[in-house]
Amino acid sequence: MATNNQEQQQSGAGRHQEVGHKSLLQSDALYQYILETSVYPREPEPMKELRELTAKHPWNLMTTSADEGQFLNMLLKLINAKNTMEIGVYTGYSLLATALALPDDGKILAMDINRENYELGLPVIQKAGVAHKIEFREGPAMPVLDKFVEDEKNHGSYDFIFVDADKDNYINYHERLIKLVKVGGLIGYDNTLWNGSVVAPPDAPLRKYVRYYRDFVLELNKALAVDPRIEICMLPVGDGITLCRRIK
């Protein structure tokens, strides 16, 4: 039989899903307050449309949360980003947040192994008038990154890179992306608190996929913490996002 705490967590997860996504906040009411007070009233109509469309998809927990989308949109404006990359697109909510923040001549190289999911959100992106900023490539990102790294002209050419993809490759991505992002530029790694499992005891009851990827997330977090090439900031937004600012 579930304990009261487990019942609260289960019901809380349901409510978070209804409002768009999971949250690491312990209070459902507080998360709802943030969404209704700060996020939803300012959410651009195309992002709202795509969020609601994505909520009907069976894999909707893969999407970026609305509060994180708002954060990314403002962050990109603050750093005046123009040339960006996104690894892991899904239906394109974070991609749309990025595209809306970039200037009209801004560019996003977007990579995902599933074009079908991207095309689900593409009509909304096109209607928003920002599809011309996006170059979508279907397939694994690693071969593309390896090719980019081989050409020194690509080194330091990106203002911002967002990674929300296969957690077991995050470390491998980092060793390539650190060469492609400019000094002073940012890399954002999503899901770095991984459902809160990073602090779960070894015998904690975790879903299989959470347990499997947990060690990879822990490995990344440890590596970023001691990487002398970057400054970092881990934020409890969405499922946790770590920003890495390249300093050398």
Side-chain angles (χ1 to χ4, degrees), residues 87 141-142 145-146 149 163 166-180 189 216 219-220 223-224 229:
I87 302 175
M142 202 66 68
L145 297 179
D146 284 337
V149 169
V163 184
D166 41 333
K167 316 309 170 195
D168 46 345
N169 258 327
Y170 269 26
I171 284 284
N172 298 322
Y173 289 144
H174 183 66
E175 290 309 312
R176 292 155 175 80
L177 298 180
I178 197 67
K179 298 174 183 176
L180 299 176
Y189 291 103
F216 294 107
E219 179 187 13
L220 172 77
L224 296 181
R229 300 167 295 181

Side-chain angles (χ1 to χ4, degrees), residues 76-184:
L76 287 156
K77 293 173 182 176
L78 288 171
I79 66 173
N80 296 312
K82 188 172 182 180
N83 192 35
T84 73
M85 181 189 299
E86 182 161 329
I87 302 175
V89 173
Y90 186 40
T91 60
Y93 187 80
S94 57
L95 183 63
L96 179 56
T98 299
L100 290 171
L102 299 185
D104 192 59
D105 59 346
K107 299 295 180 185
I108 313 166
L109 172 61
M111 293 180 278
D112 198 288
I113 60 173
N114 190 318
R115 177 180 290 274
E116 184 178 347
N117 289 336
Y118 167 66
E119 290 183 343
L120 183 68
L122 183 56
V124 180
I125 294 172
Q126 291 171 331
K127 187 166 64 173
V130 293
H132 66 282
K133 303 178 186 180
I134 300 167
E135 176 189 351
F136 179 83
R137 296 194 186 187
E138 183 181 22
M142 202 66 68
V144 177
L145 297 179
D146 284 337
K147 187 174 181 179
F148 277 17
V149 169
E150 287 176 4
D151 188 347
E152 291 192 2
K153 290 188 298 185
N154 294 317
H155 290 198
S157 61
Y158 286 88
D159 304 310
F160 180 78
I161 302 172
F162 184 60
V163 184
D164 183 8
D166 41 333
K167 316 309 170 195
D168 46 345
N169 258 327
Y170 269 26
I171 284 284
N172 298 322
Y173 289 144
H174 183 66
E175 290 309 312
R176 292 155 175 80
L177 298 180
I178 197 67
K179 298 174 183 176
L180 299 176
V181 73
K182 71 180 183 181
V183 174

Side-chain angles (χ1 to χ4, degrees), residues 20-130:
H21 200 54
K22 55 187 173 294
S23 169
L24 291 168
L25 290 174
Q26 295 300 305
S27 167
D28 293 332
L30 182 57
Y31 185 53
Q32 189 73 28
Y33 174 82
I34 292 171
L35 291 173
E36 293 181 354
T37 304
S38 173
V39 180
Y40 291 160
R42 296 296 188 102
E43 186 179 33
E45 191 59 35
M47 290 182 64
K48 177 184 178 182
E49 182 179 352
L50 183 51
R51 174 172 56 81
E52 293 177 345
L53 177 69
T54 303
K56 301 173 184 177
H57 194 273
W59 302 342
N60 58 59
L61 282 179
M62 288 173 54
T63 192
T64 300
S65 62
D67 51 326
E68 186 175 3
Q70 183 186 60
F71 170 74
L72 291 173
N73 183 272
M74 179 173 286
L75 178 66
L76 287 156
K77 293 173 182 176
L78 288 171
I79 66 173
N80 296 312
K82 188 172 182 180
N83 192 35
T84 73
M85 181 189 299
E86 182 161 329
I87 302 175
V89 173
Y90 186 40
T91 60
Y93 187 80
S94 57
L95 183 63
L96 179 56
T98 299
L100 290 171
L102 299 185
D104 192 59
D105 59 346
K107 299 295 180 185
I108 313 166
L109 172 61
M111 293 180 278
D112 198 288
I113 60 173
N114 190 318
R115 177 180 290 274
E116 184 178 347
N117 289 336
Y118 167 66
E119 290 183 343
L120 183 68
L122 183 56
V124 180
I125 294 172
Q126 291 171 331
K127 187 166 64 173
V130 293

Side-chain angles (χ1 to χ4, degrees), residues 167-237:
K167 316 309 170 195
D168 46 345
N169 258 327
Y170 269 26
I171 284 284
N172 298 322
Y173 289 144
H174 183 66
E175 290 309 312
R176 292 155 175 80
L177 298 180
I178 197 67
K179 298 174 183 176
L180 299 176
V181 73
K182 71 180 183 181
V183 174
L186 294 175
I187 306 171
Y189 291 103
D190 202 22
N191 305 114
T192 52
L193 294 177
W194 197 230
N195 288 255
S197 67
V198 291
V199 294
D203 59 347
L206 301 174
R207 293 181 180 179
K208 287 184 179 180
Y209 82 93
V210 174
R211 183 175 297 281
Y212 175 77
Y213 288 113
R214 176 180 178 269
D215 289 343
F216 294 107
V217 174
L218 288 170
E219 179 187 13
L220 172 77
N221 291 342
K222 290 177 181 177
L224 296 181
V226 297
D227 190 335
R229 300 167 295 181
I230 57 174
E231 297 173 332
I232 68 170
C233 179
M234 180 183 284
L235 299 169
V237 177

